[in-house]
Amino acid sequence: MRRATVLTAVLLAAAVALVGCAKDSGSTGSAASGASTDCKRNPAPTGAPAPAAPPVAAPGTNAGALKVGMSFDVGGRGDASFNDAAAAGLDRAKAQLGVADSKELTAAVGESEDATSGRLRQLVSGGFNPVIAVGFKYEPAVEAVAPTAPNVKFALIDSTADGVPNVTPLLFAEQEGSFLVGAAAALKTKTCHIGFVGGVQTPLIQKFEAGFKQGAKAVAPDIKIETSYLSQAGDLSGFNDPAKGQEATKGEMDAGADIIYAAAGASGSGAFRAIKAASTAQNPKWGIGVDSDQYNDKTLADVKDVIMTSMVKRVDVAVYDYISAVASNNVASIPKVFDLKVDGVGYATSGGFVNDIKGDLDAYKAQIINGAIKVSTTPAQ
């Protein structure tokens, strides 16, 4: 009887070991360390590598004489995201082009349209030229103010002012960079379940969502994707509410997601802190940053070890190039869209967490650049 009991225990232990081996055997598609066999992955595309980005615009010759005005979106300098990227472009123009005079103003949550326009008028009356409006919220204000100051050059980030000749739009293919971090999430997830947290549900942020989901589905067609928005169109508080970002991210992780992409401005810091609190060595969770390489942001140093990558939207490059172009009197040289082809968007590798899948991501990047993959700007229903 005792011999039978021992034999049964041995057989049960062997069966458990076999099940454990099966679960830990890795991905069935592209290599991704620790990937679950439950997440069926397509092989990476093949083809020529993406071409090198074009050279950076030549520095302007008269930048030292410029007075640059910058009007930030909600959150301002220090948001560790979108506004900070714009600020970095201005800082670089000061350091490398010799811009000596600048003024920065910042939007308030829930401010009136008159307040937004008044901020631009304040910069114009102060003699600042060019004036850079950071964010789509400025579109009505720029359309109202720019025609009254035809000798002042304006840049409008993330939107256009049709029919106003002294306004240069600085636009980005956010969906293309988001496709790549979506692919990264699908290659790295252990649960075949990821999430997206958007700051405000607007067409702009839906571009991030659309690309992220398309990239993830290109790798793993059956992957589950949670989606949350912190506020609705017209309410910009979702870009500056870390507590809401933390709550939404915790909800997505409770639903099973182990990698969360936060396209939510300053609210993203809350997302990372939720991820940090939930992550363990046995059950790691990851966050994906946005706009800047958030792994290297000093304000996020305490959570950088859970920032797997970031979708880099090179607002800093656009701002720097625009100031340089104004100094050279050649704003026509600015790209119509800062996309993958001109290195206007991309993904970060700081921390080394995606080094093992870089070949796959660059293969997808090449497919987007050569047109084999068309990335949608609206989320699939």
Side-chain angles (χ1 to χ4, degrees):
M1 182 70 177
R2 187 172 183 277
R3 288 180 62 190
T5 301
V6 171
L7 180 60
T8 300
V10 169
L11 289 172
L12 284 172
V16 169
L18 285 172
V19 170
C21 290
K23 286 185 177 178
D24 293 337
S25 62
S27 170
T28 58
S30 300
S33 60
S36 166
T37 53
D38 295 332
C39 205
K40 305 301 182 184
R41 293 172 172 85
N42 293 324
T46 57
V56 175
T61 55
N62 300 311
L66 296 179
K67 293 179 64 175
V68 180
M70 180 166 282
S71 194
F72 289 118
D73 204 341
V74 172
R77 184 187 279 266
D79 73 343
S81 186
F82 178 64
N83 289 295
D84 268 0
L90 176 57
D91 291 345
R92 182 181 166 204
K94 292 177 181 177
Q96 297 183 10
L97 302 179
V99 171
D101 196 355
S102 66
K103 185 177 182 66
E104 300 174 10
L105 301 173
T106 301
V109 175
E111 70 180 14
S112 67
E113 198 58 56
D114 285 345
T116 307
S117 299
R119 199 159 44 253
L120 298 183
R121 290 193 176 94
Q122 181 182 342
L123 292 172
V124 170
S125 64
F128 291 92
N129 185 10
V131 171
I132 302 171
V134 185
F136 62 84
K137 83 178 294 286
Y138 283 98
E139 180 181 338
V142 168
E143 289 180 334
V145 176
T148 70
N151 295 323
V152 176
K153 292 181 172 64
F154 290 79
L156 177 54
I157 297 175
D158 282 347
S159 196
T160 61
D162 295 337
V164 187
N166 56 327
V167 178
T168 300
L170 301 179
L171 305 174
F172 299 83
E174 295 92 351
Q175 71 279 6
E176 293 183 356
S178 296
F179 181 105
L180 298 181
V181 298
L187 288 165
K188 284 290 191 176
T189 179
K190 289 187 175 183
T191 62
C192 209
H193 197 160
I194 60 177
F196 173 83
V197 174
V200 181
Q201 193 166 11
T202 64
L204 173 65
I205 303 304
Q206 287 177 319
K207 289 170 67 180
F208 292 80
E209 178 193 349
F212 179 70
K213 290 181 174 179
Q214 187 177 340
K217 294 283 188 179
V219 171
D222 298 326
I223 196 168
K224 294 180 181 178
I225 307 174
E226 303 291 327
T227 303
S228 305
Y229 279 93
L230 306 183
S231 64
Q232 297 302 303
D235 175 7
L236 299 183
S237 65
F239 289 136
N240 197 34
D241 195 333
K244 273 190 178 180
Q246 189 165 358
E247 180 183 2
T249 300
K250 183 179 183 302
E252 293 193 357
M253 290 189 296
D254 288 347
D258 64 345
I259 300 176
I260 311 290
Y261 178 30
S267 301
S269 64
F272 295 136
R273 287 184 169 84
I275 292 164
K276 174 81 171 181
S279 185
T280 65
Q282 296 75 28
N283 189 21
K285 312 288 185 184
W286 293 100
I288 295 175
V290 74
D291 295 334
S292 305
D293 183 352
Q294 295 195 290
Y295 178 90
N296 290 324
D297 193 287
K298 292 179 181 178
T299 67
L300 298 173
D302 60 323
V303 294
K304 71 177 186 178
D305 56 331
V306 297
I307 301 177
M308 185 180 82
T309 183
S310 295
M311 194 289 281
V312 181
K313 177 177 172 179
R314 294 189 166 89
V315 178
D316 57 330
V317 171
V319 167
Y320 174 87
D321 284 359
Y322 174 72
I323 294 171
S324 179
V326 170
S328 299
N329 197 28
N330 187 24
V331 293
S333 65
I334 297 298
K336 297 297 183 186
V337 178
F338 287 84
D339 58 10
L340 281 176
K341 193 174 296 184
V342 299
D343 204 27
V345 293
Y347 69 95
T349 59
S350 298
F353 304 125
V354 296
N355 285 355
D356 59 325
I357 58 170
K358 190 175 185 301
D360 286 9
L361 299 183
D362 287 346
Y364 283 111
K365 176 181 176 180
Q367 292 274 296
I368 294 170
I369 289 175
N370 68 28
I373 293 176
K374 304 288 187 185
V375 187
S376 176
T377 59
T378 55
Q381 298 301 317

